Amino acid sequence: MLIDESIKNALAIMPSEARTDMPKLGMEPIRREALVRATIAEIGRAGSLDVTVAQIARRAGMSSALAHHYFGSKEQIFLAAMRHVLTLYGAEVRGALAAADGPRGRLVAVIRANFASGSFRRETVSAWLNFYVLAQTSAEAARLLRIYQRRLRSNLVHDLRPLVGVRAGAVADRLGALIDGVYLREALKGGTPDRATAAAMVLEDLDLALEAT
């Protein structure tokens, strides 16, 4: 697929004269989103960051020159994709927490949000792991991952404190490490990620921690 269906639909409903003006007035956010989605898809296909701007642009249905115009470099496209993934993840967590009740319910919600459909697709799992690779050489990528890790830990610690007291930090660190480990396991085994089994593994560790209190 060269371009997201939503982008096709947006163009289809525009009058032809409006489309002529769009490159200057309204196409940039649509094309940026198309490039971000194409980047995630290409990383998922390749299983690494070894993809070219030409491949990304081709999947998004535009030229390499236009992709460079919008983002400047391949690393900037990767970083934009990373921000997009983190934005989707944050929305999943907020939505899950809004429907949760009590400390344990909120913990379960946060854990399940890490394996929600928007964050646990094959291409997104691959993107997450490759962003960890990028963070070893990119200060901005490292900063974005630290933001994710701090937010995850903060959410976990907040609701672990009333349940496990002073052990909250240690339990949160273990759960965070287990979530990362499950992502790695799913990326390496291939096939469609098993959301239910992945979440169950982390929830089992949570229950063990709560029982030990």
Side-chain angles (χ1 to χ4, degrees), residues 10 28 42-44 55 81 113 133 160 166 184:
E28 180 171 349
E42 282 297 310
I43 292 173
Q55 289 171 318
V133 175
L160 281 166
V166 296
L184 175 60

Side-chain angles (χ1 to χ4, degrees), residues 81-97:
M82 186 173 179
R83 293 187 190 98
H84 178 75
V85 168
L86 289 170
T87 297
L88 292 180
Y89 167 74
E92 294 277 11
V93 172
R94 289 191 297 274
L97 286 174

Side-chain angles (χ1 to χ4, degrees), residues 158-173:
H158 178 271
D159 289 299
L160 281 166
R161 280 201 184 106
L163 299 174
V164 301
V166 296
R167 296 173 51 237
V171 174
D173 289 339

Side-chain angles (χ1 to χ4, degrees), residues 73-84:
S73 68
K74 185 167 75 170
E75 180 174 319
Q76 289 303 313
I77 299 177
F78 287 161
L79 291 172
M82 186 173 179
R83 293 187 190 98
H84 178 75

Side-chain angles (χ1 to χ4, degrees), residues 36-162:
V36 163
R37 292 181 181 275
T39 300
I40 295 170
E42 282 297 310
I43 292 173
R45 179 195 60 77
S48 73
L49 298 175
D50 188 23
V51 299
T52 67
V53 174
Q55 289 171 318
I56 293 169
R58 190 179 306 116
R59 180 179 285 266
M62 63 190 77
S63 69
S64 299
L66 200 55
H68 280 294
H69 170 72
Y70 287 132
F71 289 100
S73 68
K74 185 167 75 170
E75 180 174 319
Q76 289 303 313
I77 299 177
F78 287 161
L79 291 172
M82 186 173 179
R83 293 187 190 98
H84 178 75
V85 168
L86 289 170
T87 297
L88 292 180
Y89 167 74
E92 294 277 11
V93 172
R94 289 191 297 274
L97 286 174
D101 183 32
R104 188 184 182 284
R106 288 171 59 84
L107 289 167
V108 171
V110 169
I111 291 169
R112 289 194 184 282
N114 280 272
F115 306 105
S117 58
S119 299
F120 208 56
R121 300 192 309 270
R122 167 60 47 203
E123 63 270 25
T124 310
V125 170
S126 182
W128 268 109
L129 295 180
N130 281 287
F131 289 147
Y132 272 89
V133 175
L134 182 61
Q136 296 180 60
T137 57
S138 166
E140 179 62 12
R143 186 186 72 83
L144 291 172
L145 278 177
R146 284 195 299 272
I147 290 173
Y148 151 70
Q149 290 167 339
R150 284 198 297 265
R151 287 177 179 171
L152 174 60
R153 189 178 192 277
S154 176
N155 281 326
L156 293 172
V157 168
H158 178 271
D159 289 299
L160 281 166
R161 280 201 184 106

